[in-house]
Amino acid sequence: MDLLLVEPSSILRVLCGLWFLPHCIGKMRNVGPASATFAKAGFHPPGAFVIITIIVELIAGTGLVFNILPQLAAGLAAAVLLGASYAVVRINGWNWRWQKQGPEFMVFWSATCVLTVL
């Protein structure tokens, strides 16, 4: 008898999608500061990038949570997270560790999103 009713990879896929919710809420509540961050990273026009990022994160998160076109959702998630990784490196320099505001969490999250749907 199988003790798990849900595959662990499905649980991880859902968690990867849910993690986008606080990211979107943070950007929506702080469009001005988010735009300043995007500008600092070299994304212009920064306000448009904030809105596009929110939309892509909502689509990717929804797709991952509800298993709707999960490969496409994971691809969108990976793209937005790797873009965020690029921005972090561009702003903070090449500091891998999170204690120095490095991109390792976003790189890990990106890989996890993709691996859960393979």
Side-chain angles (χ1 to χ4, degrees):
M1 181 171 169
D2 191 6
L3 295 177
L4 287 176
L5 299 176
V6 180
E7 291 184 31
S9 62
S10 294
I11 296 168
L12 189 56
R13 176 183 42 77
V14 169
L15 288 173
C16 283
L18 288 174
W19 256 247
F20 281 105
L21 189 58
H23 273 244
C24 291
I25 291 170
K27 285 181 193 73
M28 287 187 263
R29 287 185 174 174
N30 301 288
V31 173
S35 294
T37 300
F38 276 70
K40 189 186 271 188
F43 294 110
H44 298 285
F49 271 97
V50 172
I51 300 304
I52 291 167
T53 301
I54 291 168
I55 293 167
V56 172
E57 287 180 358
L58 288 173
I59 292 169
T62 301
L64 289 169
V65 169
F66 294 106
N67 204 24
I68 301 168
L69 300 172
Q71 289 84 6
L72 176 61
L76 291 172
V80 77
L81 289 165
L82 291 175
S85 297
Y86 167 80
V88 165
V89 169
R90 181 102 189 254
I91 293 168
N92 301 319
W94 188 252
N95 298 307
W96 182 251
R97 298 180 341 197
W98 68 269
Q99 298 95 328
K100 295 186 176 188
Q101 299 178 333
E104 82 285 355
F105 173 70
M106 290 164 282
V107 171
F108 175 80
W109 186 8
S110 174
T112 304
C113 287
V114 171
L115 291 173
T116 62
V117 298
L118 292 181

